[in-house]
Amino acid sequence: MAADGFASLVREDTPDVILLRRGTEVLPEGFRDQPAAGVIIAFTVDDLDAEYERLKNEGAPVTMPLREEPWGERLFQITDPNGVVIQLVAWVTPEHA
């Protein structure tokens, strides 16, 4: 579900994730204009390459390009307008397993 300044990510088997744009009145007054700092939300996806291409083609700000870590994590990151880092992940067999 999404509306101006609001997005809700829901699945039956996981907790809800709600993202609000800075300045939204539902946030407490002292927090409305604070950017996020040090927040990463990670999602495991089935087709990481397809998601990377889709988001890049839609103009999402890719802040960490697609990469593979030695421990078997493939990932990339985008950053939302509030400064929240969204990391998409797929797990693969590590190179040196």
Side-chain angles (χ1 to χ4, degrees), residues 7-41:
S8 177
L9 308 174
V10 179
R11 272 183 42 173
E12 288 182 20
D13 58 341
T14 63
D16 297 354
V17 175
I18 297 173
L19 305 170
L20 300 171
R21 183 177 53 217
R22 265 188 325 208
T24 302
E25 289 184 12
V26 74
L27 292 169
E29 189 173 335
F31 295 91
R32 288 182 192 156
D33 295 317
Q34 292 183 0
V39 176
I40 294 178
I41 299 176

Side-chain angles (χ1 to χ4, degrees), residues 20-76:
L20 300 171
R21 183 177 53 217
R22 265 188 325 208
T24 302
E25 289 184 12
V26 74
L27 292 169
E29 189 173 335
F31 295 91
R32 288 182 192 156
D33 295 317
Q34 292 183 0
V39 176
I40 294 178
I41 299 176
F43 297 97
T44 301
V45 297
D46 292 327
D47 191 342
L48 188 67
D49 294 307
E51 291 300 325
Y52 181 74
E53 290 303 318
R54 181 183 68 81
L55 290 167
K56 191 170 71 168
N57 291 337
E58 289 182 12
V62 176
T63 49
M64 178 183 288
L66 192 59
R67 62 192 268 175
E68 186 168 325
E69 301 294 355
W71 52 86
E73 181 181 24
R74 288 189 73 227
L75 64 100
F76 71 92

